[in-house]
């Protein structure tokens, strides 16, 4: 779920500031603005290489004169100058980490940080220098500078967010700084919520951040920063995330309340169900929300998780599935199933220690051979590995293509054939030939 929010947040906002240049503007600013415009045009046409070259040229044009106050060698004498140099740094950094570029996170981080430092160094003095004559245009430029820097902080947070766990605290600080400059930056609130939930296991702060993002998108007074053209999808995702936090982290004795009526204490799971209902209301195709709603309300009309839900769940979970299941949770149902089958055919279920509760990981010799075996929901091949020596021909079937790819990597040549899709369809096609179906 986080990925969806992140992907939407990554949609690049072109930060070109269009203002009338005054007669006092130095030639380097004219050049920089022209190069900024060219960079934005190239980027809008997916020409990242040219965009990077134009942005770098614009930064070079503005570094012709040296002023020691700032963190870099720039002559920043007006809010117009500042808005332009902030846009150049932010758009260059975004280009360096955008899809199809040569992806340079360290340099992008440096550029984002430079933009933030430039804003901090100059914004106060330049605002103080505003005259009554330039009040209106400078007020607009002042807001532009804040929003551009907020975008730099937001993208900086996303870059840290995608790095190693040691960078997570830096990501939190960057998102918080973006929000301090632009309180209506809903994506910063949403990504902060994802960090609190997924990385810090702090449900209170996660709900607060998700709710802030939702409130920004639902209110009508101020245009949210980078408002999505079709907000219903994002509303649904945020309600889903709130519901997941409430459902997973609050026990029966913990009470929750709605913001509009904080004195009325409710079961947190009741609010979770409400959040899932809202998620489904705004996006009827949100399979995750539909499944969770059925789970918490015991909806008898939904007898099992939908194929779309299972596919999406295991596509996301594929790379960590086996480690979490076996190493973290101690799962051994796959070997228990094999020993149960052996007992059914007269085999000895006892292990070397005389117990029957913890089957050995060693695969016993086959007591019977089956011409066609289907491993339904094969996952990474844990069950298939147990039954391989009992099958002449084995098909691994799963809804998730990504988890089948994991099976191919972890246990090459385990299955004679793979089937991506609903097992019931595979069985229908082969029902007269199937000798054994295994699933665990």
């Amino acid at each position: 779920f986080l990925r969806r929010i992140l992907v939407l947040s990554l949609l690049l906002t072109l930060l070109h500031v269009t203002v009338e240049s005054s007669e006092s503007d130095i030639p380097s600013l004219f050049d920089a603005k022209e190069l900024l415009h060219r960079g934005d045009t190239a980027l809008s046409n997916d020409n990242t290489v040219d965009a990077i070259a134009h942005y770098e040229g614009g930064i070079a044009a503005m570094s012709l004169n040296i002023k020691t106050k700032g963190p870099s060698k720039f002559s920043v004498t007006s809010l117009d100058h500042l808005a332009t140099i902030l846009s150049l740094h932010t758009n260059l950094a975004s280009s360096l980490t955008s899809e199809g570029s040569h992806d340079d996170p360290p340099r992008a981080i440096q550029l984002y940080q430079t933009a933030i430092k430039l804003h901090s160094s100059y914004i106060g003095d330049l605002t103080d220098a505003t005259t009554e004559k330039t009040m209106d245009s400078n007020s607009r430029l002042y807001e532009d500078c804040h929003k551009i820097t907020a975008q730099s902080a937001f993208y900086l947070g996303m870059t840290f967010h995608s790095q190693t766990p040691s960078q997570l605290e830096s990501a939190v600080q960057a998102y918080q700084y973006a929000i301090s400059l632009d309180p209506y930056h809903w994506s910063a609130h949403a990504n902060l919520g994802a960090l609190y939930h997924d990385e810090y296991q702090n449900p209170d702060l996660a709900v607060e951040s998700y709710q802030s993002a939702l409130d920004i998108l639902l209110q009508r007074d101020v245009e949210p920063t980078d408002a999505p053209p079709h907000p219903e999808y994002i509303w649904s995702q945020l309600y889903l995330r709130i519901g997941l936090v409430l459902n997973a982290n609050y026990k029966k004795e913990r009470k929750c309340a709605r913001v509009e009526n904080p004195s009325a204490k409710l079961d947190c799971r009741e609010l979770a169900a409400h959040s899932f209902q809202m998620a489904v209301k705004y996006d009827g195709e949100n399979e995750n929300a539909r499944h969770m709603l059925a789970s918490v309300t015991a909806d008898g009309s939904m007898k099992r998780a939908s194929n779309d839900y299972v596919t999406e769940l295991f596509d996301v979970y594929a790379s960590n599935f086996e480690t979490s299941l076996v190493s973290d949770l101690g799962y051994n149902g796959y070997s228990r199933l094999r020993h149960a089958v052996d007992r059914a055919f007269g085999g000895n279920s006892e292990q070397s220690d005389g117990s029957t509760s913890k089957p050995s990981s060693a695969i016993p010799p086959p007591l019977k051979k089956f011409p066609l075996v289907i491993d339904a929901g094969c996952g990474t091949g844990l069950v298939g590995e147990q039954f391989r020596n009992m099958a002449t021909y084995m098909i691994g079937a799963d809804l998730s293509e990504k988890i089948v790819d994991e099976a191919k990597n972890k246990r090459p040549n385990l299955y004679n054939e793979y089937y991506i899709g609903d097992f019931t369809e595979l069985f229908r096609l082969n029902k007269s030939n199937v000798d054994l179906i295994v699933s665990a």
Side-chain angles (χ1 to χ4, degrees):
F1 315 119
L2 168 61
R3 296 274 182 205
R4 288 184 171 179
I5 294 176
L6 285 179
V7 168
L8 285 165
S9 301
L10 272 169
L11 294 175
L12 184 62
T13 302
L14 299 180
L15 299 169
H16 178 48
V17 179
T18 308
V19 290
E20 295 274 333
S21 299
S22 66
E23 294 181 0
S24 62
D25 280 340
I26 58 174
S28 60
L29 180 59
F30 285 120
D31 296 338
K33 283 186 172 182
E34 176 60 27
L35 288 164
L36 174 62
H37 174 70
R38 291 179 186 176
D40 291 350
T41 301
L43 200 59
S44 66
N45 293 322
D46 296 324
N47 189 343
T48 310
V49 174
D50 283 357
I52 290 172
H54 292 316
Y55 293 141
E56 287 179 331
I59 291 174
M62 292 204 71
S63 62
L64 295 176
N65 297 317
I66 297 175
K67 202 168 188 179
T68 58
K69 179 180 179 180
S72 191
K73 297 179 179 180
F74 299 105
S75 177
V76 182
T77 58
S78 69
L79 288 171
D80 191 5
H81 288 175
L82 184 59
T84 302
I85 196 63
L86 292 176
S87 295
L88 285 164
H89 277 75
T90 303
N91 288 4
L92 174 57
S94 298
S95 300
L96 290 170
T97 55
S98 66
E99 184 179 359
S101 75
H102 52 279
D103 197 0
D104 189 358
R107 188 174 176 219
I109 289 172
Q110 183 182 37
L111 286 161
Y112 290 135
Q113 290 174 331
T114 298
I116 292 169
K117 290 176 182 177
L118 282 165
H119 177 270
S120 176
S121 296
Y122 288 108
I123 192 68
D125 289 348
L126 293 176
T127 304
D128 291 342
T130 297
T131 65
E132 185 174 348
K133 181 179 179 181
T134 60
M135 181 69 72
D136 289 343
S137 63
N138 278 357
S139 177
R140 186 175 66 254
L141 282 168
Y142 176 83
E143 292 300 321
D144 286 341
C145 288
H146 264 41
K147 289 190 174 183
I148 297 166
T149 309
Q151 287 288 55
S152 257
F154 171 66
Y155 289 133
L156 177 62
M158 291 192 68
T159 307
F160 281 137
H161 199 159
S162 63
Q163 301 296 307
T164 61
S166 63
Q167 303 277 33
L168 292 178
E169 187 57 35
S170 295
V172 169
Q173 293 173 1
Y175 289 142
Q176 289 175 334
Y177 190 67
I179 292 168
S180 72
L181 292 173
D182 182 4
Y184 290 92
H185 202 304
W186 71 269
S187 297
H189 286 282
N191 285 8
L192 192 56
L195 268 175
Y196 286 139
H197 183 208
D198 299 336
E199 307 296 342
Y200 287 94
Q201 286 77 53
N202 189 325
D204 292 349
L205 290 178
V207 169
E208 182 181 331
S209 296
Y210 288 140
Q211 188 64 53
S212 294
L214 193 55
D215 290 344
I216 290 168
L217 290 173
L218 291 172
Q219 56 85 35
R220 302 292 181 97
D221 297 330
V222 179
E223 178 73 10
T225 300
D226 290 348
H230 304 290
E232 292 83 3
Y233 172 80
I234 300 298
W235 295 343
S236 179
Q237 289 298 315
L238 288 168
Y239 271 119
L240 170 62
R241 296 286 290 187
I242 291 171
L244 289 171
V245 177
L246 292 173
N247 189 57
N249 293 281
Y250 298 121
K251 301 184 183 298
K252 290 182 179 180
E253 59 271 15
R254 177 75 183 267
K255 297 299 181 183
C256 294
R258 294 180 180 177
V259 174
E260 60 270 23
N261 190 9
S263 62
K265 304 302 181 184
L266 301 170
D267 188 321
C268 294
R269 290 174 301 174
E270 183 179 336
L271 284 185
H274 171 73
S275 293
F276 295 139
Q277 285 176 329
M278 296 300 291
V280 172
K281 172 185 175 181
Y282 288 119
D283 181 6
E285 296 181 0
N286 189 333
E287 294 291 339
N288 299 306
R290 291 182 67 246
H291 177 73
M292 291 307 302
L293 178 60
S295 298
V296 298
T297 60
D299 183 354
S301 67
M302 192 169 186
K303 299 184 183 301
R304 68 177 182 90
S306 71
N307 288 349
D308 289 342
Y309 172 79
V310 174
T311 301
E312 182 174 350
L313 175 65
F314 283 96
D315 277 351
V316 172
Y317 196 33
S319 60
N320 296 320
F321 171 76
E322 189 166 320
T323 300
S324 297
L325 193 67
V326 179
S327 301
D328 298 343
L329 300 177
Y331 176 75
N332 63 1
Y334 51 96
S335 58
R336 288 179 181 277
L337 180 62
R338 171 58 195 269
H339 285 281
V341 172
D342 283 347
R343 288 198 302 273
F345 287 99
N348 183 4
S349 63
E350 288 195 2
Q351 308 308 309
S352 58
D353 62 359
S355 72
T356 58
S357 60
K358 294 184 179 180
S360 167
S361 60
I363 299 172
L367 295 173
K368 184 175 176 60
K369 201 83 166 178
F370 296 90
L372 177 58
V373 176
I374 295 179
D375 183 358
C378 66
T380 57
L382 287 168
V383 177
E385 190 173 49
Q386 294 287 324
F387 285 86
R388 177 67 266 191
N389 64 7
M390 296 182 69
T392 303
Y393 194 92
M394 178 179 280
I395 301 175
D398 206 289
L399 288 167
S400 169
E401 184 174 1
K402 289 187 178 179
I403 210 162
V404 166
D405 289 340
E406 287 292 315
K408 292 176 181 178
N409 292 330
K410 289 180 179 292
R411 297 174 176 87
N413 306 315
L414 174 61
Y415 298 100
N416 300 95
E417 181 185 340
Y418 291 95
Y419 180 83
I420 309 296
D422 193 328
F423 156 73
T424 57
E425 179 63 17
L426 174 65
F427 179 68
R428 187 184 67 79
L429 296 172
N430 295 275
K431 61 183 177 181
S432 61
N433 300 317
V434 176
D435 301 285
L436 179 67
I437 299 169
V438 294
S439 182

